[in-house]
Amino acid sequence: MLIINLLGFVLIGLIIWWFWLYKPDTTAVTKGTVPITVENGVYSPAQVHVQAGEPIILSFVRKDSSPCSAIVQFDDLGLSEELPLNKAREIKFDALTPGKYPFSCQMQMYRGELIVEGPNNE
Amino acid sequence: MSSNSPNIEKTLLIDGAGCASCVGKIEGALLEVTGVQKASMNFAQRTVLVTGDVVDHDLIRAVENVGYQASFVDQTDQDLLVEKEKSEAAYYHRLMREMTIALSLGVPLMIYGMFIGEMTVSTNMERIAWAIVGLLTLGIMYFSGRHFYIGAWKSFQNHSANMDTLIALGTGTAWIYSMVVVFAPDAVPLMARHVYFEATAMIIGLIDLGLALEIKARGRTSEAIKRLIGLQPKNARVIRDGEEIDIPIEDVVLDDQLRIRPGEKIPVDGIVIEGSTSVDESMLTGEPMPVEKAAGDEVVAGTINKSGTVIFKATRVGKDTALAQIIEMVKRAQNSKPSIGRLADVISGYFVPVVMIIAILSALAWLNFGPAPAVAFAIVSATTVLIIACPCALGLATPMSVMVGVGKAAEAGVLIRNGEALQTASKISAMILDKTGTITEGSPQVTEIQLTGDHKEEDILRLAASLESGSEHPLALSIVESAKAQGFTLSKVTNFNAIAGHGVEGEVDGSTLLFGNEKLMEERSISINHHIADAQRMASEAQTPMYLAINGQLAAIIAVSDPIKKDSVEAVKRLQANGIRVVMLTGDNRATAKAVAEKVGITEFVAEVLPEDKSNKVEELQAQGEIVGMTGDGINDAPALAQANVGFAIGTGTDVAIESADITLMRGSLHGLADAIAISKATLRNIKQNLFGAFIYNVAGIPFAAGVLYPFFGLLLSPVIAGAAMAFSSLTVVSNANRLRLFKASEH
């Protein structure tokens, strides 16, 4: 019984680590147009790193026909865009200030982040 | 889910392709772009249809590299809508098919378990039978529930968890446990050798059903925008080279002349150049009365020509028409989220892992403290917790209501910029109304001329109008218009001087004229003593009196009056009945202001306000703790509109290019204000109901599923019931939002 309880708590620890504490490796800074596929409950890539001060285009292609994924919203930027099925919908961002700009579907099930890095923040 | 065949189609418009041989070159260049599967050019239309998974810019660059220009063809709203409906219909049918397959196994199994036999494994025969059922269930999981497992796995890889995660874990746990019972019964105590295949099949079927019904219900939430998109006709009849031809609406260009016959929809915005008619604009402005149109008047796309035939010149086409802009604005607003939804978003973000942890804790609690067979109880409670939790309902609560509310407002001729404006509008406690053009028609007319010297009335009007022809003041305009209407020819004015806030002076036909208010006369020492009473009487009748002095002698008092809009009184009453403090602001004199305020039933007003002071008044009310709405014409009032918590612009007809306002009323009536506030309140109430319902559902459902009631009442929820509850909780949210469609703003 002790082992089972321990296993349970280890599992809880793993959940906390995997979903909350884990910080993915910083991916390379991207420029220009970044294609993002919307499928199977995820945006891929879910994290986009860009340099501050440079315009960027996120090109969303929705391949998931569930209506949940039909809208992508950038809450902090007050922006939302409808994504047609199997078509690219480009969202252009002019030079953003450094910071994290999360984006999600309306129900917060699809989640992603646009990370704008400052000049000193490599 | 077609990850292997991304058949994205894009249409490129090619510029500079003059010969048929270009076709091969362009197609070749496009085919070399990574991801392009097919590129076929229609030379006649100068378009290329590209199929594949590509980035737009790469395509354009590829065409440019071979020496041509390319741009993307904008899809019309109608095309997008048709496509969206098609894909939703396909998704609905797929879910219904998957649901049928899942329930065709789940329902008989459940009936067997409830009425016929035990779903336990004790004999070898039973083991074989249940093994077959287990494999059938696996088939169901593959055919009907594959999308849950793929979604769960993909988001797991991405360190995120969603609805799919919960469903996959819940159904997976039930199935794996059952298979263990079948294939390794010795691993579980005798009493716990129960299989739960029916739970897996039923949950998948019920959730598919819930999703399918949700799609149907969601479709209804966007009815308002569909109706707006449907207003756009497909064809237009243009007159080119003296011939009338029918062409698709996309091909209409600026300055095209179009002919419209009775009963037809107006295809693009324009100005009437020939003929007269009446036009039904109710679909855009909510104004029920048809509007008369003659040469020089504007017509707007999507409205219906009622009686006559007119020819008009196109002034705005494609995405620039008022209708297209309205559609765009409504769409954006419908997709935006008011801050009330933020908390739910934060909760949803942590929700799924938290539920997973609760499921584990609940299983551990049963294993440690539960009665025999503890392991069966643990599995049932963990599965039920995973299945009953529904972050979807929480996430859907706000957007669904906003979608319906914003659409509902658009139907009433009220354009709401975004969800935040909708939320703030519901809390407005004070409303500032500008007098001119908001409460009144905004087109003053000369209503009375009182002679005080020996001049004739027509001379007075002609002289005053001649003098005022140099002024830009709205009252000046009304005098000029009145004189012109009576057929007077105006004389030239010399030495013209406008005295801000007071009036004007100048010389006309050799006479020195001074025209303005009481202060101006006093400053110039012109005796008006005997006539102040007349002026006061005029002011008390809501007219604006102005003194005209000719060569230093008072010659007449000219009264101008701006008629009050016929429904302003009713609309102000509606606002007050909703507990809103109504304040009128005007640059006009106190007596006139008082008269107008009294006529419309406003007790609080501020007169003689300079335009730049309007925003101070807004601040003043805000300092008193009011949530202030400001209504103005959107041009002079821009700073006040921006300062207010919610700025309302009164559109003149269908001119929606009003950028500084949070809410635009497309018809001139103040009823739009009361409608806007009523709809906002109803929407916010609806959002709150949804959020409350979704929150309570989860807060009450999860502990219930974990079995907190078992020690007291012996109650433990079945995973199948949990699946049904979850599937229908998001459907309930969408249906409740749909209830808003029945809301009648005019009754509030």
Side-chain angles (χ1 to χ4, degrees):
Chain A
M1 204 54 227
L2 184 70
I3 295 170
I4 290 177
N5 282 330
L6 271 179
L7 272 177
F9 284 106
V10 166
L11 207 53
I12 290 174
L14 283 175
I15 289 173
I16 293 171
W17 172 72
W18 185 260
F19 292 107
W20 289 325
L21 301 181
Y22 176 86
K23 289 274 172 282
D25 295 340
T26 320
T27 46
V29 172
T30 2
K31 275 186 186 175
T33 307
V34 185
I36 297 178
T37 314
V38 186
E39 196 180 16
N40 293 328
V42 289
Y43 295 116
S44 42
Q47 280 198 325
V48 178
H49 289 258
V50 296
Q51 201 69 52
E54 284 194 30
I56 179 119
I57 296 170
L58 299 185
S59 173
F60 285 89
V61 180
R62 170 163 77 101
K63 294 179 187 169
D64 190 335
S65 46
S66 125
C68 307
S69 54
I71 286 167
V72 62
Q73 53 186 37
F74 291 76
D75 277 341
D76 297 339
L77 300 170
L79 192 96
S80 62
E81 198 71 48
E82 201 170 333
L83 307 176
L85 189 61
N86 287 330
K87 278 205 169 57
R89 171 58 51 93
E90 302 197 337
I91 306 180
K92 202 175 167 202
F93 297 92
D94 291 326
L96 290 165
T97 47
K100 287 185 177 181
Y101 301 92
F103 51 94
S104 64
C105 73
Q106 283 188 318
M107 295 191 289
Q108 307 290 319
M109 295 289 105
Y110 282 74
R111 288 161 160 270
E113 228 171 12
L114 176 63
I115 299 164
V116 181
E117 291 177 1
N120 310 321
N121 185 4
E122 282 299 85
Chain B
M1 251 148 259
S2 51
S3 48
N4 306 325
S5 56
N7 53 341
I8 304 163
E9 288 190 347
K10 295 178 183 191
T11 308
L12 279 168
L13 195 63
I14 306 292
D15 203 16
C19 54
S21 66
C22 310
V23 173
K25 218 161 129 190
I26 293 169
E27 285 180 351
L30 287 170
L31 281 170
E32 275 176 28
V33 177
T34 344
V36 173
Q37 292 169 349
K38 230 163 66 185
S40 60
M41 180 154 176
N42 179 330
F43 183 67
Q45 290 182 347
R46 304 283 194 278
T47 55
V48 193
L49 184 70
V50 183
T51 315
D53 191 1
V54 272
V55 178
D56 291 1
H57 282 249
D58 294 347
L59 295 178
I60 291 185
R61 218 168 298 134
V63 176
E64 283 172 354
N65 284 344
V66 288
Y68 307 97
Q69 295 293 313
S71 57
F72 283 97
V73 178
D74 275 340
Q75 273 192 310
T76 64
D77 290 318
Q78 258 159 352
D79 291 343
L80 281 173
L81 183 68
V82 168
E83 254 173 46
K84 191 177 159 208
E85 288 190 334
K86 238 165 72 185
S87 76
E88 279 183 7
Y91 187 56
Y92 172 79
H93 288 298
R94 200 189 84 198
L95 286 169
M96 288 304 268
R97 200 171 50 240
E98 292 175 353
M99 180 275 293
T100 316
I101 294 172
L103 292 191
S104 62
L105 177 69
V107 171
L109 272 182
M110 205 169 78
I111 292 173
Y112 174 83
M114 285 167 89
F115 305 109
I116 303 169
E118 287 290 309
M119 297 189 69
T120 48
V121 178
S122 36
T123 65
N124 270 342
M125 264 315 282
E126 277 175 352
R127 280 183 68 185
I128 293 167
W130 286 121
I132 293 169
V133 172
L135 290 177
L136 283 175
T137 309
L138 186 65
I140 299 284
M141 289 160 84
Y142 179 75
F143 285 112
S144 306
R146 189 170 65 241
H147 49 119
F148 300 127
Y149 303 102
I150 295 174
W153 176 241
K154 293 265 176 182
S155 46
F156 177 78
Q157 284 177 316
N158 233 6
H159 295 269
S160 68
N162 58 26
M163 204 58 229
D164 292 339
T165 315
L166 294 177
I167 298 164
L169 281 177
T171 54
T173 310
W175 185 79
I176 290 170
Y177 176 78
S178 306
M179 288 309 260
V180 169
V181 169
V182 171
F183 286 100
D186 297 336
V188 281
L190 191 63
M191 273 177 75
R193 287 176 196 165
H194 192 286
V195 292
Y196 298 98
F197 295 122
E198 96 287 7
T200 301
M202 283 299 289
I203 289 165
I204 291 174
L206 286 171
I207 292 172
D208 279 340
L209 176 66
L211 283 175
L213 296 178
E214 191 186 310
I215 287 174
K216 283 277 151 182
R218 268 172 186 257
R220 282 192 289 273
T221 62
S222 52
E223 241 164 35
I225 193 92
K226 280 184 206 156
R227 203 184 51 90
L228 280 174
I229 291 170
L231 292 176
Q232 186 80 63
K234 285 199 178 311
N235 293 303
R237 185 171 302 112
V238 299
I239 307 171
R240 284 183 185 165
D241 307 323
E243 253 182 277
E244 282 185 27
I245 43 168
D246 275 339
I247 57 169
I249 187 141
E250 301 88 66
D251 296 344
V252 177
V253 293
L254 280 184
D255 296 332
D256 259 342
Q257 293 194 3
L258 297 97
R259 184 191 290 279
I260 294 294
R261 288 181 297 206
E264 287 180 339
K265 272 187 204 155
I266 291 167
V268 294
D269 292 358
I271 289 179
V272 176
I273 51 177
E274 201 183 306
S276 66
T277 185
S278 66
V279 174
D280 177 3
E281 296 186 340
S282 60
M283 56 293 290
L284 290 187
T285 62
E287 169 62 53
M289 292 296 290
V291 185
E292 296 302 320
K293 301 281 181 184
D297 288 337
E298 276 190 29
V299 287
V300 184
T303 57
I304 294 173
N305 178 29
K306 300 284 273 193
S307 51
T309 298
V310 291
I311 295 176
F312 73 94
K313 192 175 82 177
T315 53
R316 283 182 297 199
V317 298
K319 297 249 176 223
D320 297 327
T321 65
L323 177 62
Q325 288 179 30
I326 290 171
I327 291 171
E328 192 54 34
M329 189 169 161
V330 172
K331 262 197 196 166
R332 287 198 175 277
Q334 284 186 324
N335 293 344
S336 73
K337 198 177 264 186
S339 49
I340 190 174
R342 282 294 183 96
L343 179 65
D345 283 355
V346 173
I347 296 175
S348 324
Y350 293 98
F351 193 88
V352 176
V354 168
V355 170
M356 286 155 68
I357 292 172
I358 296 175
I360 294 171
L361 290 176
S362 141
L364 288 182
W366 280 102
L367 285 172
N368 284 303
F369 313 110
V375 63
F377 278 121
I379 290 296
V380 169
S381 74
T383 304
T384 314
V385 166
L386 289 170
I387 295 299
I388 203 163
C390 186
C392 277
L394 215 50
L396 277 174
T398 313
M400 287 298 114
S401 306
V402 170
M403 185 98 178
V404 183
V406 168
K408 188 83 202 169
E411 277 176 6
V414 176
L415 294 183
I416 299 176
R417 182 167 298 279
N418 53 37
E420 200 53 44
L422 181 84
Q423 181 175 345
T424 319
S426 73
K427 292 189 268 183
I428 286 175
S429 61
M431 177 66 79
I432 299 182
L433 302 175
D434 183 38
K435 180 180 78 85
T436 310
T438 302
I439 296 176
T440 63
E441 296 281 1
S443 52
Q445 290 142 15
V446 173
T447 42
E448 192 179 337
I449 298 179
Q450 169 123 20
L451 301 172
T452 60
D454 41 15
H455 291 271
K456 281 194 232 146
E457 194 175 304
E458 48 266 36
D459 281 341
I460 294 291
L461 187 58
R462 191 181 58 81
L463 287 172
S466 302
L467 176 64
E468 287 283 34
S469 60
S471 167
E472 283 165 1
H473 197 274
L475 292 181
L477 193 72
S478 68
I479 289 172
V480 175
E481 291 283 313
S482 297
K484 280 186 179 164
Q486 293 189 27
F488 296 135
T489 320
L490 303 187
S491 305
K492 233 183 133 185
V493 56
T494 50
N495 294 332
F496 178 81
N497 178 30
I499 308 143
H502 288 82
V504 291
E505 62 183 336
E507 282 170 24
V508 178
D509 295 349
S511 307
T512 308
L513 304 184
L514 190 63
F515 188 41
N517 59 17
E518 205 178 303
K519 276 188 201 147
L520 181 67
M521 298 298 134
E522 278 167 4
E523 268 178 25
R524 301 298 173 90
S525 313
I526 288 168
S527 163
I528 52 168
N529 288 346
H530 299 297
H531 304 288
I532 287 180
D534 286 327
Q536 279 170 348
R537 189 225 354 121
M538 289 172 178
S540 70
E541 288 163 359
Q543 307 187 81
T544 306
M546 289 182 289
Y547 297 90
L548 177 68
I550 301 178
N551 297 327
Q553 291 287 320
L554 185 68
I557 309 173
I558 300 178
V560 170
S561 153
D562 185 4
I564 292 171
K565 287 178 191 166
K566 58 184 187 304
D567 50 9
S568 288
V569 179
E570 252 331 283
V572 167
K573 245 186 228 159
R574 271 179 72 192
L575 288 173
Q576 288 167 336
N578 276 299
I580 293 169
R581 172 177 168 192
V582 182
V583 182
M584 184 183 89
L585 286 192
T586 177
D588 225 331
N589 68 66
R590 218 190 118 72
T592 311
K594 185 163 182 265
V596 172
E598 271 171 8
K599 271 195 183 170
V600 292
I602 296 174
T603 49
E604 206 175 332
F605 65 91
V606 190
E608 290 161 35
V609 182
L610 297 171
E612 57 268 31
D613 288 340
K614 284 183 182 168
S615 65
N616 295 343
K617 286 288 153 195
V618 175
E619 275 179 64
E620 222 177 278
L621 286 185
Q622 284 169 333
Q624 292 169 24
E626 304 277 13
I627 307 281
V628 182
M630 164 81 205
T631 312
D633 58 17
I635 305 150
N636 306 324
D637 304 328
L641 289 180
Q643 172 65 36
N645 299 79
V646 185
F648 291 83
I650 292 229
T652 48
T654 37
D655 186 9
V656 290
I658 299 174
E659 290 297 324
S660 53
D662 299 307
I663 297 183
T664 303
L665 308 180
M666 284 190 285
R667 77 187 138 134
S669 164
L670 285 183
H671 276 296
L673 281 183
D675 288 349
I677 293 173
I679 292 169
S680 307
K681 280 190 172 163
T683 308
L684 261 289
R685 200 160 49 233
N686 197 270
I687 292 174
K688 284 178 191 160
Q689 290 162 355
N690 277 347
L691 284 174
F692 180 79
F695 191 68
I696 288 300
Y697 165 82
N698 279 302
V699 164
I702 293 173
F704 188 27
V708 287
L709 293 183
Y710 189 84
F712 311 105
F713 308 104
L715 270 176
L716 185 60
L717 208 58
S718 128
V720 177
I721 304 284
M726 189 246 115
F728 292 97
S729 66
S730 35
L731 186 63
T732 312
V733 165
V734 182
S735 305
N736 186 45
N738 266 324
R739 248 174 12 95
L740 260 184
R741 290 190 305 135
L742 307 173
F743 179 75
K744 288 204 170 54
S746 56
E747 290 169 5
H748 294 262

